[in-house]
Amino acid sequence: MEIPEGSKAQQNLQNSLKSAHRAKNLVQQILAFSRQGKQERKPLDIRPIVKEGLKFLRASLPATIGIRQEIEKDLGVIEADPTQVYQVLMNLCTNAAHAMDKEGGVLEISLGNADMKEGISTSLAGIEPGPYLRLRVSDTGHGIPSELLPRIFDPYFTTKEVGKGLVWDWRL
């Protein structure tokens, strides 16, 4: 309350408060999953969640990793749990950063509209044709060995040593 309005210190405190609220939500998410509880899905504009997550990442990633973002405007609203969206973004970006840990590189995040047409790819994936949002995370890291690709969405699957990285289960 004694910090001047609009100062850098006030901005830092506001960011800390937002992160604390996000951490609280993540703990609730973990508890809900462990109890197999229902998630809180609601109409949501995910642009602010993605932007906030990228600010947090920029502060926590080494300077050898650059971040490029391409976030379209006027994306509309989806029905989702905001904590799960944040969790998915952070998990994907953290894994991408680990892939670039030694050499550095570029982390690219894009968010935009996608129209899924009816066809073989939608029927094989069990996706209803129609409008969607596409969140894409890519990196210039070492990649995933082809023999591990079938397992990447298995809950708790990791190739990391014990004590390295975080593993989250996520389902939208």
Side-chain angles (χ1 to χ4, degrees):
M1 294 169 119
E2 297 174 7
I3 296 176
E5 190 76 28
S7 69
K8 183 73 172 165
Q10 185 194 36
Q11 290 173 355
N12 289 340
L13 286 172
Q14 288 294 334
N15 287 338
S16 296
L17 188 58
K18 282 182 185 178
S19 294
H21 286 296
R22 192 65 69 195
K24 175 186 144 206
N25 290 335
L26 285 174
V27 169
Q28 288 173 338
Q29 174 73 24
I30 293 165
L31 290 173
F33 175 75
S34 68
R35 291 189 303 266
Q36 296 299 313
K38 287 201 168 212
Q39 309 307 318
E40 183 188 340
R41 295 176 70 137
K42 59 184 179 183
L44 181 67
D45 173 6
I46 69 170
R47 287 178 69 231
I49 294 170
V50 172
K51 288 182 175 191
E52 180 183 325
L54 294 178
K55 281 183 190 175
F56 177 78
L57 280 166
R58 178 67 279 161
S60 62
L61 293 179
T64 57
I65 297 176
I67 296 178
R68 286 191 199 135
Q69 59 179 302
E70 186 177 322
I71 300 174
E72 292 180 15
K73 295 180 180 174
D74 303 321
L75 292 174
V77 173
I78 62 170
E79 188 174 313
D81 181 299
T83 303
Q84 282 188 330
V85 170
Y86 188 81
Q87 185 178 355
V88 167
L89 175 70
M90 297 307 283
N91 188 46
L92 291 172
C93 291
T94 300
N95 285 342
H98 286 178
M100 299 181 288
D101 219 12
K102 293 181 178 131
E103 308 284 323
V106 178
L107 174 63
E108 293 188 44
I109 298 93
S110 66
L111 180 64
N113 289 305
D115 187 23
M116 299 300 291
K117 305 282 188 213
E118 189 167 353
I120 194 154
S121 61
T122 55
S123 61
L124 286 175
I127 297 172
E128 293 288 326
Y132 287 83
L133 288 185
R134 178 185 305 155
L135 174 64
R136 180 178 292 168
V137 177
S138 63
D139 64 75
T140 57
H142 53 71
I144 300 171
S146 59
E147 66 273 9
L148 295 181
L149 285 175
R151 299 203 51 214
I152 62 172
F153 293 111
D154 290 354
Y156 307 109
F157 172 72
T158 184
T159 58
K160 296 180 180 88
E161 301 169 21
V162 173
K164 296 280 184 183
L166 297 174
V167 179
W168 298 98
D169 179 72
W170 47 276
R171 295 183 183 110
L172 288 180

